[in-house]
Amino acid sequence: MLANRLKILLAERDLTIKNVIEAVHLSRPSVSNMVNNPFANISTENIDKLCNYLGITPKDFFDYSGWIINFEFIAPMNEGEGVSYEPCLKITMESSTGIRLSYPSVNFNEPFSDPAGNYFGSIGIDDTKETFPKIYAGLSPVFQHQLTRKMTVEARKARDYFDQNASKTHYVFNYSYNGKFLISSAL
């Protein structure tokens, strides 16, 4: 994964988008896109201008994790007699050094209601491997946020699959490891 650090670099220097526009002569939409979308494509010419203005190298401009991590909700299915697959949130990780890891795990807790008639449910991943939490903890906040967002999108698919009335239920997605929540977000 590769992301620009422009938002962080500007904050560290107490600079605004307006400062960059005036100094580097780039358009506001272009600079805003780079600041608000760290995964945006940026031309080498613009990278050069920004690095010169900020007094940094391209190595300082970008954040690189060395991992490609994907999530995919796989719905349960039956193929023939006696063959069934449990639903899972498949996590696939591939490193720049050629390591490839893949493992599924997802828990769906049936929604319950409180005395006021509100329904609550949760979808969680219980990770019995130590690999993903270690990789996640070693990522920059930008990449942690991106992974949390991707996992939440796939957890919503699981919620919608399990509960056709999900719009009436308040769901929480949790990713926990050794009893600690690494990721917790409302669906």
Side-chain angles (χ1 to χ4, degrees), residues 3 5-6 11-12 14 26 33-34 40 44 46 70 72 75 77 84 88 95 97 127-128 133 152 171 173 175 186:
R5 299 181 61 242
L6 186 56
E12 288 173 349
D14 200 27
L26 295 174
N33 185 44
M34 288 182 256
T44 53
N46 288 346
N70 290 301
E72 176 186 11
M77 63 180 180
S84 66
C88 66
S95 79
T97 59
D127 189 359
T128 58
T152 302
Y171 276 93
F173 167 63
Y175 178 90

Side-chain angles (χ1 to χ4, degrees), residues 157-170:
K157 292 178 186 176
R159 173 203 63 196
D160 294 343
Y161 177 84
F162 286 116
D163 189 350
Q164 300 303 315
N165 296 315
S167 61
K168 298 177 185 175
T169 307
H170 304 284

Side-chain angles (χ1 to χ4, degrees), residues 124-141:
I125 296 176
D126 292 323
D127 189 359
T128 58
K129 298 186 179 193
E130 296 182 14
T131 311
F132 182 77
K134 287 179 182 176
I135 292 169
Y136 183 85
L139 296 174
S140 71

